[in-house]
Amino acid sequence: MKLNTTLLTILFLFFQIAFGQTKEAKQISGKILAESTSVEAVNVINNTTQRTTVSDANGLFSIVVNEGDVLIFSAVNLESLRKKITKQDLLLDVVKVQMTAKSIDLKEVIINEHPEITAENIGVIPYGQKKYTPAERKLYTATSGGGIDGLLNTISGRKAMLKKEIVVEHKEQLLVRIDYLFEEKYYVETLKIPVDYIRGFQYYCIDDVSLAAALRSKNKTMVMFLIVQLAEKYNQIIKDEN
């Protein structure tokens, strides 16, 4: 009889604890904040209960938690974050979660493994001489001859053609830089650019004066900030066309 009483007491305490834990559970609303990057499709996992959810385009989410639960926030464009739910969090209308954008390094293309060996220091060309790109060299050759050659080149429109070639060459250089900056996954999952439109979006980006300047100066923070804005505009263009 004593054993049965003890067992009943243990079961009673167990159900009290279980009921108390269930009663404390609450669905909270949250908002993810981050500078210069998207807060959509951020994975939110309750590491204690394994419940999961995903933030919307405005960074809003809701999830069931207990005091003391640990939430894990992760996204391809954001640094992962862990947050322990406090009693104060349960009293708030909206729990604000500040996240940080991932730093994305530009991929460098090594074209010379011995940069100390240059045409200048081995005496091929004088120090300080202007270095021309292939298109610029063609234009320089076409315009530096003077006399009848210069006149013929002007009349034939060759100089105008070569100037256009320089513009194209500069855009190709920018295209290489932006191509190495982000992977396809970033365009599709973060910027929501359809795979078939990625190349067109890259051309759209390098035509933007501010983003082109940021690419030339290798200002990664500015590039990341501007490309999100351009992606929103480009996606609207796609939507309007369809």
Side-chain angles (χ1 to χ4, degrees):
M1 183 68 178
K2 186 177 180 181
L3 180 62
N4 290 337
T5 303
T6 304
L7 180 60
L8 286 172
T9 302
I10 293 173
L11 288 173
F12 176 77
L13 290 173
F14 173 80
F15 285 119
Q16 262 200 329
I17 293 170
F19 178 76
Q21 287 179 340
T22 304
K23 191 175 179 180
E24 291 174 5
K26 178 184 177 183
Q27 181 166 306
I28 63 169
S29 297
K31 181 176 178 62
I32 297 168
L33 305 171
E35 293 184 7
S36 307
T37 190
S38 171
V39 288
E40 184 178 8
V42 176
N43 295 309
V44 184
I45 303 173
N46 186 328
N47 198 45
T48 307
T49 64
Q50 296 304 304
R51 287 190 176 96
T52 64
T53 188
V54 179
S55 65
D56 65 14
N58 298 311
L60 299 173
F61 68 93
S62 62
I63 191 169
V64 176
V65 297
N66 285 285
E67 181 183 349
D69 285 357
V70 175
L71 299 185
I72 300 175
F73 300 84
S74 63
V76 293
N77 59 315
L78 295 165
E79 297 290 347
S80 295
L81 177 72
R82 296 170 66 91
K83 175 178 174 56
K84 186 174 183 179
I85 297 298
T86 65
K87 187 175 182 180
Q88 183 62 33
D89 291 327
L90 298 175
L91 299 175
L92 296 174
D93 292 331
V94 178
V95 178
K96 293 183 179 179
V97 180
Q98 184 69 49
M99 298 188 71
T100 305
K102 283 183 179 178
S103 176
I104 301 177
D105 295 326
L106 287 170
K107 299 175 185 177
E108 298 291 344
V109 180
I110 300 175
I111 57 174
N112 183 4
E113 294 183 358
H114 302 282
E116 71 282 0
I117 302 176
T118 66
E120 290 178 338
N121 61 30
I122 63 175
V124 175
I125 61 173
Y127 280 97
Q129 180 171 312
K130 178 174 173 59
K131 299 177 179 64
Y132 294 97
T133 66
E136 288 172 335
R137 281 198 296 271
K138 290 178 184 177
L139 179 61
Y140 177 77
T141 302
T143 57
S144 62
I148 190 65
D149 288 337
L151 178 61
L152 290 173
N153 282 325
T154 302
I155 294 173
S156 67
R158 184 161 182 255
K159 285 199 295 185
M161 178 190 69
L162 292 174
K163 286 180 180 178
K164 289 181 180 179
E165 190 174 330
I166 290 174
V167 172
V168 172
E169 184 181 64
H170 288 173
K171 286 191 175 183
E172 287 176 348
Q173 291 170 354
L174 292 177
L175 196 61
V176 169
R177 291 190 183 186
I178 198 172
D179 199 36
Y180 273 86
L181 180 57
F182 300 112
E183 295 180 355
E184 182 180 286
K185 186 177 180 181
Y186 181 79
Y187 289 104
V188 176
E189 296 186 2
T190 303
L191 301 181
K192 306 303 178 185
I193 303 293
V195 175
D196 294 339
Y197 286 85
I198 291 176
R199 179 57 79 181
F201 176 62
Q202 290 175 331
Y203 278 107
Y204 178 77
C205 287
I206 64 176
D207 279 336
D208 183 82
V209 176
S210 298
L211 190 135
L215 281 172
R216 291 190 189 97
S217 62
K218 294 187 178 181
N219 187 334
K220 296 175 290 184
T221 302
M222 182 58 69
V223 170
M224 291 178 66
F225 174 74
L226 292 172
I227 202 170
V228 171
Q229 296 180 335
L230 290 173
E232 292 177 358
K233 294 178 181 178
Y234 193 75
N235 281 326
Q236 186 59 50
I237 292 172
I238 295 172
K239 185 178 178 180
D240 293 341
E241 288 179 348
N242 296 333

